[in-house]
Amino acid sequence: MEAASTSTPRLLSTLALFRLLFWVQWRSFVARWRGIWQKSPAMLVVLAGFVFGYLALGYWLFFEGLNFLYRFPLVGSLLSQRLIYLVFGFFFVMLVFSNLIIGYSTLFKSRETTWLLSLPLPPQNIYRWKFLEALAVSSWALLFLSAPLMLAYGKVHEAPSIFFLQVALVFIPFVIIPALLGSWAVIFLVRVLGHRDVKNIVLVIALGVLALLIAGIKPVTDADALAPEDILSFDQLLRHTRLSVNPFLPSAWLAQTILAWSEGLTRQGLFSFLLLLSYALMGLLIGFEIVGRCFFGSWTVALSSRAARFQRQAVARRQRDRKPELLERVTNLIRPWSPPVAALVLKDARLFWRDPAQWIQFMIFFGLLCIYVINLRNVAFNFSSPFWETMISYLNLAASSLTLSTLTTRFVFPQFSLEGRLLWIVGLAPIGMQKVLLQKFWTSCFTTSVITVSLMVTSSVMLHLPWLRVGFFALAIALMSATLSGLAVGLGALFPNFKEDNPSKIVSGFGGTLCLVASFLYITTFVATVALPDLARVTKFPWSIPPLLPYLLVVILSLTVMLFPLLLAIRRVKNLEI
């Protein structure tokens, strides 16, 4: 009785704090969007058009693809089911890493967390609120992106109308479980590795995982693909996807629930849903009552390790005979041409490397690129059909360009906003704000070009394309790198958010969403236009296309997309008031 009487006031105080913080966040959200509406209503109209356009286009694409698989003879239904398992398996892994990274920024890097901890509030309540905040930031995009997929899947399987409400309900415990895992991982990693060199440890782990992937992923040879026993065995053909149907994975429980409810098997779906719900509720109980008590200790460890690192850096700067670090040696290469630009590049590189939320995401991004290139061995056959050789080569260009758009939106767009309220210090530099913006453009253009051109050359070589085609695709991706860098830098300066120091929240705003949608539209137009001459050559195309016209159009399109937002941004920062 005494325990119940003491827990009730604590619960009421926690709910009162949550209600107050939610009211503050809601009022800030409404004020921000009201300001955008008063300043430029056309922006909200364009954004709404992009959102509904994505939902309509995504629904049509998913419907056609799932309908084709479902109607495929013999194995169509099995293929569509395995696809659902794979999609949610990838979603689960992505949510774990996303919550880990966003949780670190929210719990240990946010100025708001430091301010809340200075108030007479229990640290457990602050951890609970920040967990919910990281959950919302990391999960809304998944729910938005998967909405047309679930709508199309329900229509293809002729599910009842209540199926869509059930899917919306089952997603709630599903997104909670990876959020809990990511939050627990960041709490204990900071406590264990707080005083150690985390970067080197993570680099060693990442290289080890990459080595295991290279050694463990077996390419499919021509003999394996044509083996009669593999053709007769569906499970053998999809042996590399068996992990996604593991009964101990929450993503498999979600897939089982959706598959059961889409077929009208209510009791089977209810069992998987209750399994998800019970684990989510038990995880919340453990996280809020046990892990939350470890938060303040981990926060003090992170703060003390940060202070110790700054002290070591100050001592190193006072040493006259110290050796220059790697970043300094790299930027010294451009110092003879422009010392101010070299100093700004060094500043941006150091800020990037000092922010774990940035470089950990970049390492995950780079690891996914390596996995993509490694898996190209599975389709690196000698193509006997010119049509399939052309299709796969341009699909490789589309995949690389979509990777490029993710890179520029996630890492390039928030660079101007990350200068924060101290941007006026950079503005006092003798080169001016306009050259600061151009420096960010050229730095991002060079960095993204090196990454994507290397990716394109490696993937094209693994596809056994002729060297002339390899050079053509490398030139195309280099042009797209410059264009998307200009778009990201320009929109980042046109829609800055100096109040936020979390890159994930900056990208989640209006400008980041607009940058991602505009990048997608540009990539779609670019790839479709540049592929027209080759597709007309290998198919019975009804119209004759001048050979140089598509290439001239994509050059004009790229220059327009690159220069228009960049010139507007240069004009804006010239009169920027901070």
Side-chain angles (χ1 to χ4, degrees):
M1 292 294 294
E2 293 181 1
S5 61
T6 56
S7 61
T8 302
R10 287 190 302 173
L11 178 61
L12 293 177
S13 63
T14 301
L15 293 178
L17 175 64
F18 284 6
R19 185 171 63 251
L20 176 62
L21 292 175
F22 178 78
W23 180 82
V24 171
Q25 294 288 343
W26 173 253
R27 295 295 298 174
S28 300
F29 176 80
V30 171
R32 184 162 53 249
W33 284 99
R34 185 179 297 159
I36 295 176
W37 174 257
Q38 293 175 353
K39 184 178 179 181
S40 180
M43 292 182 185
L44 293 182
V45 175
V46 171
L47 180 60
F50 281 140
V51 169
F52 288 109
Y54 163 76
L55 293 175
L57 180 61
Y59 171 78
W60 178 74
L61 291 175
F62 284 128
F63 180 82
E64 293 296 330
L66 291 173
N67 189 51
F68 174 78
L69 284 178
Y70 188 65
R71 310 298 177 190
F72 198 83
L74 298 178
V75 295
S77 178
L78 297 175
L79 279 174
S80 60
Q81 291 179 9
R82 186 61 61 92
L83 179 64
I84 293 297
Y85 278 98
L86 280 174
V87 167
F88 290 125
F90 281 117
F91 280 170
F92 181 78
V93 175
M94 291 169 59
L95 282 175
V96 171
F97 283 105
S98 178
N99 280 279
L100 192 149
I101 295 167
I102 295 175
Y104 179 81
S105 300
T106 304
L107 292 171
F108 300 102
K109 300 280 290 182
S110 174
R111 292 193 297 265
E112 182 183 356
T113 303
T114 305
W115 175 72
L116 289 174
L117 287 171
S118 66
L119 300 176
L121 298 173
Q124 275 184 276
N125 288 345
I126 298 175
Y127 165 76
R128 294 165 183 169
W129 172 254
K130 287 299 177 181
F131 165 79
L132 296 176
E133 183 179 322
L135 171 65
V137 172
S138 62
S139 303
W140 75 269
L142 168 68
L143 302 178
F144 173 71
L145 293 174
S146 59
L149 172 62
M150 289 295 96
L151 288 173
Y153 189 84
K155 288 297 182 181
V156 168
H157 289 261
E158 299 178 352
S161 301
I162 196 174
F163 167 77
F164 304 106
L165 181 60
Q166 292 171 333
V167 169
L169 184 65
V170 77
F171 263 96
I172 297 175
F174 173 70
V175 298
I176 290 176
I177 294 177
L180 289 168
L181 294 177
S183 177
W184 297 351
V186 72
I187 291 290
F188 291 113
L189 284 175
V190 169
R191 173 65 70 91
V192 174
L193 305 177
H195 294 287
R196 294 173 176 84
D197 193 350
V198 182
K199 297 185 181 68
N200 293 334
I201 296 175
V202 175
L203 282 173
V204 171
I205 294 175
L207 292 175
V209 172
L210 183 60
L212 289 175
L213 288 172
I214 295 174
I217 296 179
K218 179 184 176 183
V220 179
T221 61
D222 293 340
D224 293 336
L226 298 177
E229 60 271 15
D230 286 355
I231 295 177
L232 297 177
S233 175
F234 174 81
D235 187 65
Q236 184 69 15
L237 278 175
L238 299 180
R239 59 186 182 273
H240 296 298
T241 65
R242 289 173 183 169
L243 181 62
S244 63
V245 297
N246 191 301
F248 296 100
L249 287 177
S251 59
W253 306 339
L254 175 64
Q256 291 169 5
T257 305
I258 292 176
L259 293 175
W261 281 346
S262 66
E263 300 294 336
L265 305 175
T266 306
R267 296 181 62 183
Q268 290 84 340
L270 183 61
F271 172 79
S272 300
F273 168 68
L274 292 178
L275 186 62
L276 264 175
L277 183 62
S278 61
Y279 271 84
L281 293 176
M282 187 64 188
L284 287 174
L285 179 63
I286 296 174
F288 284 179
E289 296 299 329
I290 299 177
V291 181
R293 299 177 182 177
C294 305
F295 163 63
F296 186 73
S298 299
W299 184 82
T300 56
V301 169
L303 192 64
S304 61
S305 64
R306 200 179 308 160
R309 184 174 65 251
F310 289 157
Q311 185 177 4
R312 290 194 301 268
Q313 292 172 355
V315 172
R317 283 193 295 266
R318 288 196 296 267
Q319 294 176 355
R320 296 182 179 180
D321 56 344
R322 70 177 184 90
K323 296 181 180 179
E325 57 185 14
L326 179 61
L327 293 176
E328 292 182 58
R329 290 196 292 267
V330 173
T331 54
N332 283 338
L333 297 177
I334 60 176
R335 191 172 295 277
W337 287 275
S338 180
V341 171
L344 290 173
V345 172
L346 180 61
K347 175 190 71 69
D348 290 342
R350 281 176 171 170
L351 290 176
F352 176 83
W353 188 240
R354 290 171 182 172
D355 187 2
Q358 292 268 61
W359 58 263
I360 290 178
Q361 281 193 354
F362 182 78
M363 290 180 63
I364 295 173
F365 178 83
F366 187 75
L368 293 176
L369 290 183
C370 293
I371 294 174
Y372 168 73
V373 174
I374 292 169
N375 276 284
L376 281 178
R377 298 182 296 178
N378 297 340
V379 294
F381 303 139
N382 295 320
F383 302 107
S384 57
S385 171
F387 172 77
W388 285 113
E389 178 181 356
T390 303
M391 284 296 296
I392 291 179
S393 61
Y394 278 101
L395 286 175
N396 180 50
L397 175 63
S400 301
S401 55
L402 289 173
T403 302
L404 170 64
S405 69
T406 305
L407 179 67
T408 54
T409 303
R410 176 59 188 82
F411 297 104
V412 177
F413 175 83
Q415 287 303 309
F416 190 78
S417 297
L418 288 175
E419 297 290 347
R421 297 176 181 177
L422 299 180
L423 181 64
W424 65 272
I425 298 178
V426 181
L428 294 177
I431 62 175
M433 288 296 299
Q434 296 169 313
K435 289 188 178 179
V436 170
L437 196 67
L438 290 176
Q439 171 266 325
K440 293 184 181 298
F441 164 71
W442 287 113
T443 302
S444 62
C445 182
F446 174 78
T447 306
T448 55
S449 297
V450 169
I451 295 173
T452 54
V453 170
S454 302
L455 170 67
M456 179 55 62
V457 171
T458 305
S459 58
S460 299
V461 170
M462 295 191 73
L463 290 172
H464 303 299
L465 296 180
W467 282 106
L468 184 62
R469 303 296 295 167
V470 173
F472 169 76
F473 286 122
L475 184 62
I477 201 69
L479 178 61
M480 297 175 76
S481 299
T483 303
L484 293 178
S485 296
L487 178 66
V489 172
L491 291 179
L494 289 173
F495 303 99
N497 184 4
F498 298 122
K499 299 180 181 179
E500 187 60 60
D501 55 359
N502 189 343
S504 301
K505 292 185 178 180
I506 295 174
V507 176
S508 300
F510 172 80
T513 306
L514 180 62
C515 180
L516 183 63
V517 174
S519 301
F520 177 76
L521 294 177
Y522 163 73
I523 289 170
T524 304
T525 307
F526 185 100
V527 176
T529 305
V530 81
L532 280 178
D534 288 332
L535 289 177
R537 176 174 52 85
V538 298
T539 59
K540 297 180 180 179
F541 208 69
W543 303 290
S544 60
I545 301 175
L548 296 179
L549 180 60
Y551 306 129
L552 179 62
L553 291 178
V554 295
V555 170
I556 296 174
L557 173 67
S558 300
L559 291 176
T560 303
V561 175
M562 175 178 60
L563 295 178
F564 183 70
L566 196 59
L567 292 177
L568 288 179
I570 291 175
R571 182 180 177 182
R572 184 182 186 277
V573 299
K574 183 179 180 180
N575 302 317
L576 182 64
E577 295 182 2
I578 306 173

